[in-house]
Each structure stands twice: as C-alpha cells, then as structure tokens.
Amino acid sequence: MLRIRGDIHISIFIYLKFFFFRCDNSYAKYNNKTNNIDGTTNFVHGFPNACISLGLIDQRVPVLGVIYNPFLDHLYTGVRGGGSYLHTRLHPEPQRLPLAPVAARPLPSLAGALIAVEWGSDRGPDAIRRKANSFSRLAGAPPHGVMAHTLRSVGSAALNFGLVAQGAADLYWFIGCWPWDVCCFDILGRYAGIVILQEAGGFVTGSKDVLHDGIVTEAILTGRRYLAIRGVAETPEESSIEAQKRIAREFYDTVEDIPLDE
C-alpha cells in the first residue's frame, strides 16, 4: 500500500478493511472506485500533476472522495453533507473549499474565465479537429470566439476537479474520462471529483443534451462527458445555480459536439 502520511495511511487501511474493494464498473449498495494513478502520462514524464483517487458510492450516489497528489503533497477530501477540504503541510489545519468565499467570486461570462481542458486519448482526425475548433472558439477573440482569459491542461481529471473546487479554475471540460476519475469530484477522477466539487458549491453536468440542473444522475456519472463549474456568487438578478446554468448553456453554445471513442 502507498504510504501517503501516517494519518492517511491509517484512514485508507480502515476504508479498505470495512468495504469490499472493487475496481470494476458494476454497482452494489456500497461500491468503491479507485484510480491507482490519474495523470499517467504526467507520471511517466515526471511532470508533477499526478494523483491517486478513491471514491465511495452509496446506492448509486457518490458520497465520499479522496484525491492525493504526492508530488505537491496536496490532499483533497470530501464527504457529502460534510464539506470538502484541502490538506497541505503548509497549513496545519485543513482549509475548507473553496479557498476564496463563493460570495466573493462572480462569473459574469466565459470571457475572463480560466478553463481547464484536455486533449484526451482520442487523437483521430475528426476528434482532434472538433477539439481544436472548440478550444479556438473558447480562447479566440470575438466575433469568432468568446475570449476566455486562458485555457489550461493539467493532465489529470481528478486534479482538475479539485482545482475547480478550490477555485483555482473556473470550469473544467473533458470528454472520455471514466467514472473512477471523477467520484471525489461529487468527490474524486468520475466519482471522486464530484463530491468534492459539489460540497464546495460547485456544479457538475454532462453532455450538451442532458438537463443542466445540477443533479448528477447515473446517466451523467456513466456518460463520460463532464462540465464542472466552480461556486459562483449570487447577485440580485440571479442565484448561484442560475448563474452556473447560464454558464453551462453559454459553454455548450460555444463548443462543438465531440463523439466518444469506445
């Protein structure tokens, strides 16, 4: 077993002792998802954005997630109803996410947003053309683009979810990742990322065609298309979730539809 830190080593031992450990895509009342290394290409190249992630699903709902980057010693944790936190050696006490209060973070439009994107594993001509066109529309100046502040490619689905929960990224869009990459995100990489983000006030949805209401259904969990939006300050004109829904609509009006590789 990977030794993260003394206390985390014990926690993972307890977690594995009391729950049947599974690495497949089936469901049980309690089902664990693990991603031994998320950001494999980064890991192989020694680029310090790789992590391990674990997520727990209770009756098909992600309820707990853990994401740990051993290179930077960043540990994200989240429990449904209990908040999400960033643990680092620089801060003796866990920091509640998001690091900046949601009330202080409006998001008027995609213009000015920092958006995390990934090229993914499908590099076929059609997929790469659609992704390049989408990235160009996000980053380009009007009238052909929305001129987002910048695009970033971190190389790890789980860490992207953590960064959105943290407030370091405004959005994360990816097509083709698997459920175990994002559970920590409700909390991790499919299940890890979802818990952490939602407990930080974030919003998770699926493809352009699903209902963007902030409810992560099983169809979204297994759909392999994810759009994550950080917590947004409410205004007199719209609530936080209304702002997130508006951003989701603006985003999907901007990018192209990209078929999934099987």
Side-chain angles (χ1 to χ4, degrees):
M1 180 183 296
L2 174 65
R3 183 179 182 85
I4 298 173
R5 295 201 301 256
D7 54 337
I8 306 304
H9 177 97
I10 294 171
S11 298
I12 291 178
F13 173 80
I14 294 172
Y15 175 82
L16 296 181
K17 180 177 180 181
F18 287 97
F19 293 100
F20 179 61
F21 194 68
R22 305 178 66 164
C23 296
D24 58 25
N25 291 328
S26 61
Y27 288 95
K29 179 179 179 182
Y30 292 105
N31 197 0
N32 304 277
K33 298 292 181 184
T34 181
N35 194 1
N36 293 332
I37 299 178
D38 182 39
T40 310
T41 301
N42 289 346
F43 181 80
V44 169
H45 286 270
F47 191 76
N49 282 331
C51 65
I52 61 170
S53 60
L54 302 98
L56 176 65
I57 304 165
D58 178 9
Q59 301 183 60
R60 307 191 179 209
V61 177
V63 295
L64 178 147
V66 178
I67 304 168
Y68 180 65
N69 180 344
F71 296 98
L72 302 180
D73 193 27
H74 286 181
L75 173 69
Y76 297 91
T77 63
V79 177
R80 180 172 290 281
S84 55
Y85 296 85
L86 174 62
H87 311 248
T88 68
R89 290 196 183 279
L90 293 177
H91 296 86
E93 297 297 325
Q95 298 172 277
R96 181 127 192 187
L97 300 179
L99 297 184
V102 168
R105 301 290 306 279
L107 189 59
S109 70
L110 293 179
L114 189 154
I115 304 174
V117 297
E118 300 292 347
W119 288 102
S121 58
D122 184 359
R123 306 295 177 87
D126 183 58
I128 210 74
R129 176 184 60 80
R130 291 172 183 265
K131 290 173 185 176
N133 288 345
S134 296
F135 298 163
S136 178
R137 292 175 183 177
L138 290 169
H144 303 296
V146 298
M147 203 167 181
H149 196 184
T150 190
L151 305 183
R152 288 287 183 266
S153 184
V154 171
S156 161
L159 289 178
N160 277 315
F161 275 119
L163 289 168
V164 176
Q166 179 179 331
D170 297 303
L171 294 89
Y172 169 51
W173 179 50
F174 191 60
I175 293 176
C177 59
W178 295 95
W180 42 87
D181 288 324
V182 299
C183 186
C184 288
F185 187 107
D186 189 296
I187 165 189
L188 172 307
R190 182 177 69 186
Y191 301 135
I194 294 170
V195 171
I196 291 177
L197 181 61
Q198 288 184 328
E199 286 297 316
F203 178 98
V204 184
T205 189
S207 68
K208 179 178 182 177
D209 298 326
V210 305
L211 181 63
H212 304 306
D213 60 0
I215 299 174
V216 181
T217 63
E218 185 176 359
I220 290 176
L221 283 175
T222 58
R224 299 179 59 208
R225 289 178 169 92
Y226 304 100
L227 177 63
I229 304 171
R230 66 163 170 81
V232 178
E234 64 180 33
T235 68
E237 291 74 32
E238 62 181 358
S239 66
S240 177
I241 193 167
E242 286 171 341
Q244 291 165 325
K245 291 178 181 179
R246 172 179 51 77
I247 291 293
R249 291 192 298 269
E250 181 185 355
F251 185 89
Y252 278 121
D253 285 343
T254 302
V255 301
E256 291 192 15
D257 186 46
I258 301 173
L260 286 171
D261 59 324
E262 299 299 333

